[in-house]
Amino acid sequence: ERRFWNALAEQGWTGLLVPGSLGGYEQGFAEMAEVAAALAAQVAPEPVVPVLVFAGRLLAHASTTDLATRLLTELAEGRTMPAVAWQEQVTGAQDPLDQAATRLERAGDGLLLSGGKRHVRPGAGADGYIVSANGANGLALAWVPANASGLTLSSQPLADGSYAAQLNFNSVRLPAGHLLAEGPAAVAALARAYDETLVLSSVELLALVRSMLAMTLDYLRTRVQFGKPIGSFQSLQHRAVDLLIQQELTASVVSQAVALLDDPQADATARSAMASRVKARASDAGLQVAREAVQLHGAIGVTDEYDLGLYLQRALVLAAWLGNGTLQRRRYADLTRNATEQEHP
């Protein structure tokens, strides 16, 4: 909803992470986390993290070209909504960040893009896409306007009522200036933006967990059965405590991860490991709390009229986005093993 997105821009939220020289406020991830958490707690449908964090930070990390500068300026003003298109797998397998089957070739004085992308958020609402592709010098990142000739899009509904897009590039011709980065610089930019997005999506999941647990505890205090509130039953108290433990464990890791993002001296491998660690924790906690919250509510928990279902559906989407808990634990293990081998060959 562009009207509401414009309202976010008027509050200055779309420019929080954008440099001050480009019209932004140059704040840190701690500030961005407050905005993301507040919107997630209301199950707001706006793609704040996919646009402002994933796409915005990728533009900032990838390039200092005139195009990237213009896009970041328009992002801060709320006039442009970019999206990142990098995933290609049909299954749940994770796409490698440093590889792509989509091809980007030189064609005269321009570029030629062929291939396809999946799971793009936002989809049809985006003004353009930062597309990862295999170029002459390795991984390349290119800007593809939404109205580019040869680009076709199909929308796929997600569990929470939002949509992801599948993009197909049928020999899309682009100006040479639309190449944002290539080679190791492109890989590093995508990896860093990916890690930052994992952390902020974990912030959103934690906000959902807090909201679902608060709703559940309120229900346990007010629902009366056998003449007393059901929250007085010891078995339900134990289950509620388990959910509180999941919330507090997640909150602890989320705070560490956000602080690491704001640390200018942070090591890239440590940042990636922390990002996978927090996403694994938040994804599992979000799904566990959602399941238990529905069960503790009983029949009312599965009705469309009750808001708990909205939180559950959002948790399903966020837990899977960019890799679920299992996949992130596998990535964490690979990162830490590689770091250990480098220290002790």
Side-chain angles (χ1 to χ4, degrees), residues 231-253:
S232 64
F233 302 147
Q234 191 178 59
S235 62
L236 299 187
Q237 291 176 355
H238 287 173
R239 293 173 69 176
V241 168
D242 289 340
L243 300 187
L244 178 62
I245 291 173
Q246 288 299 317
Q247 173 185 287
E248 294 308 304
L249 287 173
T250 303
S252 177
V253 182

Side-chain angles (χ1 to χ4, degrees), residues 49-115:
V49 173
V51 172
L52 302 183
V53 182
F54 202 5
R57 296 300 291 172
L58 183 52
L59 284 170
H61 296 321
S63 179
T64 57
T65 63
D66 291 342
L67 175 60
T69 299
R70 176 175 64 81
L71 290 173
L72 277 172
T73 302
E74 293 178 355
L75 173 67
E77 296 172 350
R79 294 192 291 119
T80 291
M81 186 179 289
V84 180
W86 70 282
Q87 291 178 283
E88 298 172 339
Q89 295 278 0
V90 178
T91 65
Q94 180 76 340
D95 294 89
L97 290 168
D98 59 348
Q99 300 174 29
T102 300
R103 295 194 59 80
L104 184 69
E105 302 172 343
R106 297 282 181 178
D109 58 352
L111 305 169
L112 191 65
L113 184 67
S114 300

Side-chain angles (χ1 to χ4, degrees), residues 7 47 52 118 187 213 242 309 334 345:
L52 302 183
R118 295 173 177 269
V187 175
L213 180 56
D242 289 340
D334 291 341

Side-chain angles (χ1 to χ4, degrees), residues 208-261:
L208 296 178
V209 166
R210 292 188 188 281
S211 296
M212 290 186 290
L213 180 56
M215 293 174 67
T216 302
L217 294 179
D218 184 64
Y219 184 77
L220 294 178
R221 296 186 188 103
T222 57
R223 175 73 167 90
V224 174
Q225 187 69 35
F226 305 114
K228 61 178 64 176
I230 62 175
S232 64
F233 302 147
Q234 191 178 59
S235 62
L236 299 187
Q237 291 176 355
H238 287 173
R239 293 173 69 176
V241 168
D242 289 340
L243 300 187
L244 178 62
I245 291 173
Q246 288 299 317
Q247 173 185 287
E248 294 308 304
L249 287 173
T250 303
S252 177
V253 182
V254 165
S255 64
Q256 294 177 51
V258 172
L260 189 63
L261 291 186

Side-chain angles (χ1 to χ4, degrees), residues 99-172:
Q99 300 174 29
T102 300
R103 295 194 59 80
L104 184 69
E105 302 172 343
R106 297 282 181 178
D109 58 352
L111 305 169
L112 191 65
L113 184 67
S114 300
K117 297 291 181 179
R118 295 173 177 269
H119 316 303
V120 180
R121 298 180 61 216
D127 296 306
Y129 306 93
I130 307 168
V131 180
S132 64
N134 181 26
N137 298 311
L139 188 75
L141 298 173
W143 172 253
V144 181
N147 60 358
S149 178
L151 169 61
T152 58
L153 178 150
S154 59
S155 294
Q156 302 167 327
L158 302 178
D160 63 347
S162 63
Y163 288 84
Q166 177 177 332
L167 308 179
N168 290 298
F169 308 103
N170 184 18
S171 299
V172 176

